[in-house]
Amino acid sequence: MLTLMIQIFTTFFVIGIFTFGGGYAMLSLIQGQVVMAHGWMTESAFTDIVAISQMTPGPIGINCATYVGYDVVTKAGGSHLLGVLGSFSATFAIVLPSFLIVLALAKFYMKFKSNRIFEGVMSWLRPSVAGLIGAAAVILMFDTSWEGLPLLSEVSVNVVRENFPDWKSWVLFGAALVASLRFKVGPIPIIICGGIAGLFL
């Protein structure tokens, strides 16, 4: 169990180091490590955790780490107390890099914020953050596998059936998309309506 705790800590520490753009940008990295690299949970279980993390207060990436830490430890046979320690380990690990980096850079930000090189780096990071957020949405919808090297071989793209089990799921997805893009409905009413619809369906 100690080995698993160390794995959880190091995995989320690395995610924390290489994440730019906040919680949503973290999701693709978390999914890649938790589902693909370590096989700690299935796509559908991870999607459920993302949904719960979205509905609970706090940053979605940190909430997701907390739930994953608890789930992984308890499914490995750990007690409730060890599950809480797994949650703490994952949450602390994902927050620690940002805390240390911000602490180190805070006093230099005001000095360098008008620097041309600093502005250039920020201008290149913003689009990459948007790409990471978009990748998180695509990863939750599609299962992509490469035959050989990426971009140099055939790619297989399939809808993750566990996340869209029947036509009702597609209708809910379409309704949420139209409500958000066409009618500019905020995420909170969409989440509430989706939960109510899921309860009845």
Side-chain angles (χ1 to χ4, degrees), residues 86-169:
S87 291
F88 176 79
S89 178
T91 305
F92 181 68
I94 207 166
V95 170
L96 184 59
S98 300
F99 175 76
L100 295 177
I101 291 169
V102 169
L103 194 64
L105 295 179
K107 64 177 182 178
F108 297 108
Y109 176 76
M110 296 304 292
K111 182 178 178 181
F112 291 106
K113 70 175 184 177
S114 300
N115 184 283
R116 286 177 56 197
I117 296 174
F118 182 80
E119 289 178 352
V121 170
M122 289 298 106
S123 67
W124 281 93
L125 281 177
R126 290 183 199 109
S128 65
V129 169
L132 285 170
I133 293 171
V138 172
I139 284 171
L140 293 175
M141 291 174 57
F142 300 104
D143 178 25
T144 306
S145 60
W146 300 88
E147 299 292 333
L149 293 174
L151 305 179
L152 298 176
S153 56
E154 282 190 26
V155 59
S156 173
V157 180
N158 300 304
V159 174
V160 179
R161 293 177 184 267
E162 297 165 330
N163 293 344
F164 295 94
D166 52 31
W167 63 269
K168 291 175 279 191
S169 299

Side-chain angles (χ1 to χ4, degrees), residues 1-2 6 9 13 15 20-21 23 44 51 73 84 88 98 101 108 117 120 145 149 158 173 178 190 200-201:
M1 194 59 68
L2 179 61
I6 293 171
F9 182 88
F13 186 80
I15 291 170
F20 298 91
S44 61
V73 171
V84 172
F88 176 79
S98 300
I101 291 169
F108 297 108
I117 296 174
S145 60
L149 293 174
N158 300 304
F173 169 73
V178 170
I190 291 175
F200 284 105
L201 294 174

Side-chain angles (χ1 to χ4, degrees), residues 3 11-12 40 52 62 75 100 114 145 161 168 180 188:
T3 303
T11 297
F12 281 96
W40 284 333
I52 293 169
I62 295 173
K75 283 187 177 175
L100 295 177
S114 300
S145 60
R161 293 177 184 267
K168 291 175 279 191
S180 178
I188 294 174

